[in-house]
């Protein structure tokens, strides 16, 4: 007597070897990374591999949701515990608490979980290179302070700089591991909650709470929430959120952040127009020409936005106070960018005078200050300036640029480390935008990361660069499936992303 049709169909493929199960579950995991729902992923993978989606869904529910079968059966409690640990760890990373101004708690957490997340680095191209180059940078910095004739060193700054850098790259691995079973929005929400909780105690005494404490965490939380709104309504909500964040930034004198929100809105809107207002169901691999064209268009859009914002500021449309400050910066240095961030003029003079760098914790000598002042004078920064004496060279080198600070602390190996971060962020952004799958969250964080690399202090802004990279990197596709019997040969599967509010995949 024949069995019921539903039972026969659902059981198709049920007797496969565990190795075949693992291949299929890894493909399901890749689909979920691309934004698909569990049922969408099982239907897509099952159709290509000749396995009924119901059977594949049973295998997935009997796994740990990372692609590795669990022989003892399903464990929802295990999955819930895993997610809670990940969210708690993300909050700790975001809070960025340092014990005794030397030991980051995030580094302790990530180092303790190293055996858990180490394997996740291999899934993301460039991640292992970032970790290796960071370790090499710290080694180079320690060599600089140990060489004969090196600068005097403040040991606590040496230890703090090295431990913080290592902690951040360990945190990169932890976030990439979390992405294996959490959506990008959930990762950003957990991290943003940690940043917000750590920032709130400093708000009452801050001269500009939005600029110095609240802009980043509020943006992370808001975009992470609104990107969950499905369909065309979600796209409108995301654009309205960007407009609101930009308006607050203008009112609170955070000009650069206003630029990030405006350019992000342009990119998101452009993707929607290219898709005809429809949600892109599957990311396509962009050929080289559109990839390059996307980069050129983004550069032109950024330049046009900069010029437009400059005119708005100088004309007084955004307020009299911003107009007076902008006019003074243009008169002093010739442009808003050079006038607002003059530190690079002094940094370039220092690079010519001491090409090798100084090492972490090095104390600036009077000669270093004189050399830097010569460069700063070319952009209108006079000699009697407390900012130069108290901040830039007040007991250590603080050059207000992640790349410049990396050179000062770790030499040219440190520069290579920060440039690799920037190149990976640019590559991820261009790839996603060219394919029409870049979410507002990834675009805004990526743009801010590039800004921080150029003109943001390494000690405070490197965590944001690492977070942007962790969310922007795309997982490497699994190798093609090759098996015998009823399991057909299948090439690496394209992801089937779920609807997102920006009209694109996150």
């Amino acid at each position: 007597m024949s069995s019921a049709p539903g039972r026969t169909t659902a059981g198709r493929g049920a007797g496969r070897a565990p190795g075949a199960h693992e291949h299929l579950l890894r493909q399901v995991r890749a689909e979920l990374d691309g934004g698909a729902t569990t049922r969408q992923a099982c239907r897509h993978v099952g159709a290509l591999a000749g396995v009924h989606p119901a059977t594949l869904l049973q295998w997935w529910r009997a796994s740990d949701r990372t692609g590795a079968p669990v022989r003892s059966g399903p464990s929802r409690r295990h999955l819930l515990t895993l997610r809670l640990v990940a969210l708690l760890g993300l909050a700790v990373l975001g809070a960025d608490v340092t014990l005794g101004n030397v030991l980051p708690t995030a580094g302790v957490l990530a180092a303790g979980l190293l055996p858990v997340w180490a394997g996740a680095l291999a899934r993301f191209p460039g991640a292992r290179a970032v970790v290796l180059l960071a370790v090499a940078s710290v080694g180079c910095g320690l060599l600089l302070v140990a060489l004969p004739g090196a600068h005097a060193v403040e040991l606590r700054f040496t230890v703090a700089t090295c431990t913080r850098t290592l902690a951040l790259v360990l945190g990169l691995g932890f976030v990439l591991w979390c992405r294996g079973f959490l959506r990008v929005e959930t990762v950003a929400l957990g991290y943003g909650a940690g940043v917000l909780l750590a920032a709130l105690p400093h708000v009452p005494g801050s001269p500009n709470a939005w600029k110095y404490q609240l802009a980043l965490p509020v943006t992370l939380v808001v975009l992470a929430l609104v990107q969950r709104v499905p369909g065309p309504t979600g796209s409108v909500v995301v654009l309205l959120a960007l407009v609101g964040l930009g308006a607050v930034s203008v009112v609170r004198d955070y000009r650069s952040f206003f630029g990030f929100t405006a350019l992000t809105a342009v990119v998101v809107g452009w993707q929607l127009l290219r898709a005809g207002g429809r949600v892109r169901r599957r990311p396509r691999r962009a050929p080289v020409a559109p990839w390059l064209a996307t980069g050129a268009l983004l550069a032109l859009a950024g330049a046009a936005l900069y010029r437009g914002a400059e005119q708005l500021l100088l004309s007084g449309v955004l307020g009299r106070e911003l107009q007076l400050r902008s006019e003074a910066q243009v008169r002093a240095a010739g442009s808003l960018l050079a006038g607002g961030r003059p530190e690079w003029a002094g940094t370039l003079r220092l690079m010519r005078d001491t090409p090798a760098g100084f090492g972490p914790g090095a104390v600036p000598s009077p000669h270093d200050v004189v050399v830097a002042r010569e460069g700063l004078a070319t952009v209108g920064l006079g000699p009697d300036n407390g900012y130069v004496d108290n901040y830039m060279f007040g007991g250590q080198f603080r050059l207000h640029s992640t790349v410049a600070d990396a050179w000062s602390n770790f030499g040219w190996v440190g520069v290579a480390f920060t440039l690799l971060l920037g190149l990976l962020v640019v590559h991820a952004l261009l790839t996603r935008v060219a394919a029409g799958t870049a979410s507002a969250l990834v675009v805004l964080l990526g743009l801010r990361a590039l800004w921080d690399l150029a003109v943001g202090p390494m000690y405070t802004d490197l965590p944001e660069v690492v977070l942007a990279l962790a969310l922007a990197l795309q997982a490497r596709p699994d190798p093609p499936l090759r098996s015998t019997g009823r399991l057909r040969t299948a090439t690496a599967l394209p992801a089937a992303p779920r609807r997102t509010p920006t009209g694109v995949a996150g």
Side-chain angles (χ1 to χ4, degrees):
M1 182 172 63
S2 61
S3 59
R7 183 177 300 275
T8 303
T9 305
R12 182 158 50 100
R16 299 188 187 281
H21 291 198
E22 294 185 24
H23 279 302
L24 294 174
L25 292 175
R26 282 200 298 270
Q27 294 291 357
V28 172
R29 178 70 266 167
E31 293 278 322
L32 295 176
D33 286 342
T37 64
T38 304
R39 294 187 181 276
Q40 286 174 341
C42 290
R43 281 198 299 267
H44 188 215
V45 175
L48 292 179
V51 178
H52 194 277
T55 301
L56 193 54
L57 184 61
Q58 291 175 5
W59 294 345
W60 179 252
R61 288 173 175 172
S63 75
D64 64 358
R65 269 62 168 183
T66 63
V70 177
R71 307 305 181 193
S72 59
S75 176
R76 295 184 180 276
R77 181 177 298 178
H78 170 73
L79 177 59
L80 178 61
T81 302
L82 197 66
R83 288 174 173 169
L84 289 176
V85 169
L87 288 172
L88 178 62
L90 290 168
V92 171
L93 287 179
D96 196 19
V97 177
T98 303
L99 302 177
N101 294 323
V102 172
L103 186 62
T105 54
V108 175
L109 172 71
L113 295 175
L114 178 63
V116 176
W117 59 257
L121 295 177
R123 297 182 57 239
F124 296 87
R128 286 185 291 190
V130 169
V131 174
L132 293 175
L133 205 49
V135 173
S137 298
V138 171
C140 181
L142 295 176
L143 181 62
L144 285 173
V145 299
L147 290 174
H151 281 56
V153 172
E154 184 68 42
L155 185 59
R156 61 191 177 95
F157 291 151
T158 302
V159 175
T161 302
C162 294
T163 55
R164 184 172 178 77
T165 302
L166 294 176
L168 289 175
V169 294
L170 293 177
L172 170 67
F174 179 80
V175 176
L176 293 178
W177 171 72
C178 293
R179 282 190 55 193
F181 48 90
L182 295 177
R183 292 178 54 180
V184 166
E185 292 82 6
T186 306
V187 172
L189 187 61
Y191 189 97
V195 179
L196 186 59
L197 290 175
L200 288 178
H202 303 284
V203 169
S206 175
N208 189 336
W210 176 257
K211 183 174 183 179
Y212 298 115
Q213 279 86 32
L214 298 178
L216 175 66
V218 169
T219 299
L220 286 174
V221 172
V222 168
L223 291 183
L225 291 176
V226 299
Q227 284 187 182
R228 294 176 175 271
V229 181
T233 302
S235 304
V236 176
V237 171
V238 169
L239 290 174
L240 290 176
L242 291 170
V243 171
L245 293 168
V248 174
S249 299
V250 171
V251 173
R252 302 305 302 167
D253 189 21
Y254 200 175
R255 292 171 292 176
S256 62
F257 204 80
F258 164 71
F260 302 144
T261 57
L263 188 54
T264 300
V266 169
V267 172
V268 170
W270 179 52
Q271 289 185 123
L272 289 174
L273 289 175
R274 288 176 58 205
R278 298 185 302 272
V279 177
R280 186 173 298 286
R281 300 296 299 173
R282 304 195 193 285
R284 63 173 182 265
R285 184 176 179 83
V288 176
W291 193 86
L292 295 176
T294 299
L297 286 173
L298 287 178
L300 290 174
L305 184 63
Y306 170 77
R307 289 301 179 187
E310 186 177 48
Q311 293 303 315
L312 289 175
L313 289 166
L314 294 176
S315 63
V317 173
L318 302 181
R320 178 64 176 168
E321 183 179 351
L322 290 177
Q323 180 187 19
L324 294 176
R325 181 181 300 182
S326 301
E327 288 176 347
Q329 291 173 346
V330 171
R331 282 196 303 269
S335 70
L336 282 178
L337 191 58
R341 292 270 62 95
E343 294 88 354
W344 265 107
T347 299
L348 294 175
R349 288 295 180 96
L350 288 173
M351 286 180 169
R352 287 198 293 267
D353 185 73
T354 311
F358 304 101
V363 179
S365 67
H367 173 74
D368 299 324
V369 178
V370 170
V371 171
R373 284 189 184 280
E374 293 175 355
L376 294 170
T378 62
V379 292
L381 202 61
D384 298 325
N385 192 298
Y387 174 75
V388 176
D389 295 328
N390 301 324
Y391 178 81
M392 290 185 67
F393 304 106
Q396 59 180 313
F397 289 90
R398 284 182 289 228
L399 303 178
H400 214 288
S401 163
T402 299
V403 174
D405 286 338
W407 165 79
S408 170
N409 288 302
F410 307 129
W412 291 101
V413 179
V415 173
F417 163 61
T418 53
L419 290 181
L420 176 62
L421 293 175
L423 288 174
L424 289 175
V425 169
V426 169
H427 179 268
L429 281 180
L430 292 182
T431 301
R432 287 178 177 270
V433 174
T437 60
S439 67
L441 186 63
V442 170
V443 172
L444 191 145
L445 288 178
L447 294 174
R448 183 182 169 101
L450 298 177
W451 175 267
D452 290 337
L453 286 170
V455 295
M458 184 179 78
Y459 196 85
T460 57
D461 291 358
L462 187 57
E464 300 173 20
V465 177
V466 172
L467 174 66
L469 178 62
L471 298 185
L473 283 178
Q474 293 179 297
R476 181 181 285 111
D478 283 326
L481 297 176
R482 300 192 182 279
S483 183
T484 58
R486 297 179 65 181
L487 180 62
R488 302 198 305 265
T489 299
T491 57
L493 304 179
R498 177 165 48 188
R499 291 180 182 270
T500 66
T502 58
V504 292

